[in-house]
Amino acid sequence: MTQSIGPLVVGVGGTLRSNSSTERALRHCLASVERQGGRVRLYCGADIELPMYNPHDPARTPKAVELISALREADAVVVGSPGYHGGVSGLVKNALDYIEDMRDDSRVYLDNKPWGCISCAYGWQAAVGTLDQLRAIGHALRAWPTPLGVAINSADQIWDETGELVDAGVRSQLELLASQVLTFARSTGISGPN
């Protein structure tokens, strides 16, 4: 009898600052995915510090090749961005631009894959605006944004001095996001390389 393998959820986002709020939120969500039987890979910080995407130059760095390979294999994606000046950060947007390399795949872009969104900003306006942009990007990539997206106001006391999540509302939202991503990934009946 073969053992079933849980869906692979790839997390992408954060900032170049290690252990940023966005990275912590992604890590918390992905830890919940693992507790619920999924497999995870996280690409953040230096992992997504890539040359500016150029569709006319096919040369790719090893980090870019690894990211795209993971996204091709993914059953679901969770993306997190800080809200910079009311929008998605350039670092995260550039990493997502590399998905254009999947335009000629048999499964174009992220077609029919669940797409969870997390935004962190110092204020609700930027957090919500960034979340809206992440959802729009998911639609453009043919993914299915989950019903819940998590906007985090970093001006609130979300983390303690050790970096632990102390806000019960944010914790439950990140865990619900993990559940929604996994539920949709499992409902497609496809787990493993696509």
Side-chain angles (χ1 to χ4, degrees), residues 6 15 20 34 53 60 64-65 75 96 101-102 111 114 126-128 136 149 152 180 182-183:
T15 72
S20 68
E34 286 184 312
Y53 178 73
R60 296 290 177 256
V65 169
D75 299 301
L96 298 176
D101 285 0
M102 297 165 64
D111 187 45
V128 172
I152 299 171
Q180 289 182 354
L182 281 173
T183 297

Side-chain angles (χ1 to χ4, degrees), residues 66-108:
E66 181 183 343
L67 174 64
I68 293 305
S69 176
L71 289 167
R72 281 186 172 117
E73 187 181 343
D75 299 301
V77 177
V78 176
V79 63
S81 178
Y84 288 167
H85 310 287
V88 174
S89 75
L91 178 74
V92 172
K93 179 63 170 72
N94 186 56
L96 298 176
D97 286 347
Y98 275 84
I99 296 172
E100 182 63 20
D101 285 0
M102 297 165 64
R103 71 184 166 275
D104 294 325
D105 289 6
S106 59
R107 184 178 196 171
V108 179

Side-chain angles (χ1 to χ4, degrees), residues 15-30:
T15 72
L16 291 177
R17 182 174 54 87
S18 180
N19 206 29
S20 68
S21 293
T22 310
E23 181 180 327
R24 281 185 257 162
L26 273 167
R27 286 185 185 282
H28 189 89
C29 183
L30 294 179

Side-chain angles (χ1 to χ4, degrees), residues 5-194:
I5 297 174
L8 175 62
V9 179
V10 173
V12 179
T15 72
L16 291 177
R17 182 174 54 87
S18 180
N19 206 29
S20 68
S21 293
T22 310
E23 181 180 327
R24 281 185 257 162
L26 273 167
R27 286 185 185 282
H28 189 89
C29 183
L30 294 179
S32 183
V33 165
E34 286 184 312
R35 285 191 300 275
Q36 296 177 55
R39 298 173 295 132
V40 301
R41 286 193 206 148
L42 176 61
Y43 294 87
C44 61
D47 301 327
I48 59 172
E49 186 178 10
L50 304 169
M52 289 302 294
Y53 178 73
N54 180 353
H56 307 294
D57 180 359
R60 296 290 177 256
T61 65
K63 286 194 292 189
V65 169
E66 181 183 343
L67 174 64
I68 293 305
S69 176
L71 289 167
R72 281 186 172 117
E73 187 181 343
D75 299 301
V77 177
V78 176
V79 63
S81 178
Y84 288 167
H85 310 287
V88 174
S89 75
L91 178 74
V92 172
K93 179 63 170 72
N94 186 56
L96 298 176
D97 286 347
Y98 275 84
I99 296 172
E100 182 63 20
D101 285 0
M102 297 165 64
R103 71 184 166 275
D104 294 325
D105 289 6
S106 59
R107 184 178 196 171
V108 179
Y109 301 132
L110 300 174
D111 187 45
N112 220 25
K113 293 184 184 189
W115 172 267
C117 303
I118 301 169
S119 67
C120 294
Y122 201 81
W124 285 114
Q125 183 176 357
V128 172
T130 302
L131 184 65
D132 287 344
Q133 288 180 1
L134 289 173
R135 292 175 69 78
I137 291 167
H139 281 264
L141 293 172
R142 302 183 186 185
W144 287 88
T146 56
L148 176 69
V150 181
I152 299 171
N153 182 353
S154 300
D156 294 339
Q157 183 66 43
I158 306 298
W159 315 97
D160 69 14
E161 59 281 347
T162 67
E164 288 299 312
L165 181 58
V166 294
D167 185 291
V170 170
R171 179 185 304 109
S172 66
Q173 288 180 27
L174 291 171
E175 292 171 4
L176 179 55
L177 179 63
S179 295
Q180 289 182 354
V181 164
L182 281 173
T183 297
F184 186 77
R186 289 177 173 134
S187 75
T188 64
I190 300 171
S191 215
N194 297 314

